[in-house]
Amino acid sequence: MKNPSKSSLLETRLSTHARRRRFNACLVLTLAACAAVGFFAARTQRAQQQPRANETSRPELVLQTGHAMRVDGLAFSPDARLLASGSKDNTVRLWDTARAFELRKLTGHAAWVKAVAFSADGRWLASGSVDGVVKLWDVVTGREAQSFSGGGSINAIAFSPDARFVVAG
């Protein structure tokens, strides 16, 4: 019995939900793989169009400019509409996952951003850098709301479920 090839598995028609989940998984994997050379994975206009009845939809990869250096922190918003990425280029970027493009670049960190996290309601984004600084961002406006200094490098960050507390370490 012949094993199906990987390419034939990719050519299988996917439901809308499964296609979105596959895109999100591929987006994270390709973002991590391409970040070292400053690229971001996204879909093309063709992939966004509805497939015709006789066409089989397939995931596609298009490289777009993004971070200038490697990415270490990644987080999806609670509704999975946004992806936040933190990079060694000292920036945080917000990506629209449905349309696959950069919404905004958040600047203000003076050092490498290694951790990002969304609040449970998706209104706030926290970012932490290697110089011990934690920044709280308003996701809607992209403005820095607060900045806190800690003792050492921030490698992980999280909100409490009610968004009253941010923990970092």
Side-chain angles (χ1 to χ4, degrees):
M1 182 173 200
K2 187 174 145 183
N3 289 336
S5 70
K6 288 184 182 180
S7 63
S8 68
L9 292 175
L10 289 175
E11 292 174 15
T12 303
R13 178 172 287 245
L14 302 171
S15 69
T16 302
H17 179 68
R19 190 171 39 237
R20 180 175 293 143
R21 285 182 45 207
R22 177 177 286 287
F23 170 71
N24 289 343
C26 290
L27 179 66
V28 170
L29 293 174
T30 50
L31 176 60
C34 296
V37 292
F39 292 107
F40 179 75
R43 294 182 294 180
T44 64
Q45 285 183 341
R46 182 173 179 262
Q48 291 173 346
Q49 295 172 352
Q50 294 295 332
R52 295 184 184 128
N54 62 351
E55 249 183 56
T56 302
S57 63
R58 297 183 318 182
E60 294 185 35
L61 173 66
V62 171
L63 300 177
Q64 296 179 342
T65 58
H67 286 289
M69 301 179 87
R70 77 183 228 189
V71 172
D72 283 306
L74 293 169
F76 279 104
S77 62
D79 62 5
R81 291 182 182 178
L82 299 175
L83 174 70
S85 58
S87 171
K88 194 172 182 177
D89 66 7
N90 304 351
T91 67
V92 175
R93 300 193 189 227
L94 289 175
W95 307 92
D96 181 317
T97 58
R99 294 181 285 171
F101 72 92
E102 181 181 332
L103 288 174
R104 60 178 45 98
K105 177 180 172 181
L106 307 176
T107 60
H109 277 286
W112 180 356
V113 180
K114 291 192 80 174
V116 292
F118 281 95
S119 61
D121 63 4
R123 181 170 180 221
W124 302 103
L125 176 70
S127 58
S129 59
V130 297
D131 62 357
V133 174
V134 172
K135 293 194 179 287
L136 186 63
W137 307 90
D138 183 318
V139 172
V140 174
T141 64
R143 291 188 180 156
E144 181 182 325
Q146 281 189 297
S147 185
F148 309 93
S149 289
S153 179
I154 306 297
N155 295 303
I157 197 163
F159 277 91
S160 63
D162 62 2
R164 290 180 55 214
F165 302 99
V166 175
V167 292

